[in-house]
Amino acid sequence: QVQLVESGGGLAQTGGSLRLSCVASGFTESPYSMGWFRQAPGTARDWVAAMSSGGRTDYEDSVKGRFTISKDSAKNILYLQMNSLKPDDTAMYYCAARVASRVSATIFRSSSSYEYWGQGTQVTVSL
């Protein structure tokens, strides 16, 4: 059974940093793509960053240069390093994953492309 568990959220000041973690379990030997999404109250769940099953990464424009997605494959942990935080980054952050049929460079940016989701971790950025 696939499980994703996020942690690392909290309160940060504008300009500060946080690192989110997502521990993935249950994937056995299958390659998989992963992503980070965020959702503020009353808004849709938006894509933030993603990593293909082959390790290629991509970012939503507003976070490029500030956020970095990475993965510790040995521990099955996905990270999102968030620097230069802004109040607009305030949201619930979700980790998502989908099993891939093969290793590829395909990036998935739509929430509907992902099969598995974590419970979310709250990030609040104060002025």
Side-chain angles (χ1 to χ4, degrees):
Q1 180 178 355
V2 173
Q3 281 192 319
L4 302 174
V5 180
E6 303 100 330
S7 62
L11 178 64
Q13 292 185 330
T14 295
S17 298
L18 287 172
R19 188 177 79 159
L20 306 184
S21 299
C22 172
V23 179
S25 60
F27 282 105
T28 64
E29 299 299 319
S30 302
Y32 52 96
S33 301
M34 298 192 76
W36 286 99
F37 288 75
R38 64 187 179 187
Q39 186 171 21
T43 69
R45 188 170 295 188
D46 293 328
W47 172 68
V48 175
M51 178 178 288
S52 75
S53 58
R56 179 182 165 227
T57 60
D58 197 15
Y59 302 88
E60 190 269 327
D61 285 347
S62 71
V63 308
K64 280 182 181 176
R66 301 189 298 123
F67 290 10
T68 303
I69 187 172
S70 62
K71 186 171 70 172
D72 183 331
S73 297
K75 296 180 180 179
N76 281 345
I77 301 176
L78 183 75
Y79 298 102
L80 185 68
Q81 178 67 45
M82 306 186 295
N83 299 329
S84 302
L85 284 164
K86 305 175 181 179
D88 283 351
D89 295 320
T90 295
M92 184 73 77
Y93 282 71
Y94 297 91
C95 170
R98 62 172 281 153
V99 175
S101 57
R102 59 182 178 87
V103 174
S104 80
T106 303
I107 293 285
F108 296 94
R109 300 175 181 84
S110 170
S111 59
S112 62
S113 297
Y114 291 87
E115 304 165 87
Y116 305 103
W117 293 85
Q119 81 290 349
T121 185
Q122 178 67 38
V123 170
T124 303
V125 183
S126 63
L127 289 169

